[in-house]
Amino acid sequence: MKIDVEKWWKDFIFRRQDVSKDTEISEAQFVDMLNGELKKDKAAFKKSMEDCFSVIFDVMDTNRDRSISEDEFVIAVKAYGHENIALDTKFFKAFNPDKDGLVPVNIIVQSMVDFVISDDANEKGLVNVIKEVLESGF
């Protein structure tokens, strides 16, 4: 799991920069970098986001069943510093868990990618729910 997190950090946050040095990147620089990549090549950016979210949710999928349970989700987002259980649970339930309380990793990944690349700020459905949850303090 440590290797997955390190790969995610290097490949998707620092965007393949040498992280062995004491490198800092501001939030504005990060957002500008992502916007530039999206504008340059939307298809390549989408693939990069699919890879990024796949790594994140592979780390969350602690039992490696290719599905995320509410417990896995809540524990993982708590590890990322989000401790509002009610909001975390609302976020998870937005993915419409099946009768066993699971959401396939590919559904979550695709939903997050759709959210990131959406051009419509008023888009309905899961993209809008993700936006609402994130804006409410997640």
Side-chain angles (χ1 to χ4, degrees), residues 4-102:
D4 290 341
V5 173
E6 288 173 357
K7 177 183 177 12
W8 175 78
W9 190 257
K10 183 176 181 184
D11 290 351
F12 301 108
I13 300 303
F14 283 100
R15 312 303 280 182
R16 293 160 189 83
Q17 295 177 26
D18 181 5
V19 294
S20 63
K21 298 177 183 171
D22 189 20
T23 307
E24 292 186 19
I25 184 171
S26 71
E27 180 180 349
Q29 289 171 313
F30 181 69
V31 170
D32 288 346
M33 181 176 51
L34 293 179
N35 281 328
E37 290 178 18
L38 174 62
K39 289 175 184 174
K40 181 180 176 184
D41 186 341
K42 188 172 183 175
F45 182 77
K46 180 179 180 181
K47 173 70 172 115
S48 175
M49 290 296 100
E50 287 169 349
D51 294 345
C52 174
F53 287 117
S54 290
V55 171
I56 292 170
F57 289 102
D58 282 346
V59 170
M60 286 183 172
D61 183 17
T62 56
N63 66 0
R64 302 289 188 231
D65 66 353
R66 302 302 302 148
S67 293
I68 304 293
S69 69
E70 185 175 325
D71 285 342
E72 286 173 318
F73 189 85
V74 170
I75 289 167
V77 296
K78 188 174 183 178
Y80 287 115
H82 302 281
E83 298 191 25
N84 182 333
I85 302 299
L87 190 56
D88 300 344
T89 300
K90 178 182 178 180
F91 193 10
F92 176 77
K93 291 185 186 294
F95 295 107
N96 297 317
D98 66 17
K99 64 180 176 52
D100 296 321
L102 302 172

Side-chain angles (χ1 to χ4, degrees), residues 122-136:
N122 298 312
E123 190 164 338
K124 301 295 181 211
L126 192 51
V127 168
N128 192 44
V129 173
I130 293 169
K131 178 182 174 196
E132 287 176 17
V133 169
L134 294 175
E135 287 177 346
S136 65

